[in-house]
């Protein structure tokens, strides 16, 4: 599962918007969006660029991939 930073989410509606646009990339994706700490987790076939475009299309900032904890 890859984790990406999403900037600008402030409410549950924001979370649902991000989840909807990222999930639309591929019906096989598992998508989890967390308001705090402001991230989307994506498991399944995707590219970071596709997630970036989807997040930005929904009106939020894309902060890139979050490194896995060591």
């Amino acid at each position: 599962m890859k984790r990406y930073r999403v900037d600008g989410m402030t409410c549950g509606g924001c979370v649902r918007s991000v989840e909807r646009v990222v999930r639309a990339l591929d019906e096989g994706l598992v998508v989890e969006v967390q308001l705090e700490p402001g991230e989307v987790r994506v498991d399944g076939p995707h590219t970071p660029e596709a997630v970036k475009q989807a997040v930005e299309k929904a009106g939020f900032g894309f902060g890139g991939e979050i490194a896995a904890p060591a």
Side-chain angles (χ1 to χ4, degrees):
M1 182 167 286
K2 300 282 186 173
R3 299 167 51 220
Y4 303 98
R5 178 89 183 132
V6 179
D7 299 317
M9 293 190 300
T10 59
C11 65
C14 298
V15 168
R16 287 187 294 278
S17 293
V18 170
E19 184 175 343
R20 183 179 66 248
V21 297
V22 175
R23 186 165 281 140
L25 295 172
D26 186 299
E27 64 184 40
L29 291 179
V30 174
V31 179
E32 298 173 10
V33 182
Q34 295 183 340
L35 184 59
E36 289 296 327
E39 68 181 45
V40 58
R41 297 175 182 185
V42 184
D43 193 20
H46 73 283
T47 65
E49 183 61 30
V51 174
K52 177 183 187 291
Q53 290 176 2
V55 167
E56 290 177 345
K57 179 180 177 181
F60 302 95
F62 181 78
E65 187 172 347
I66 300 169

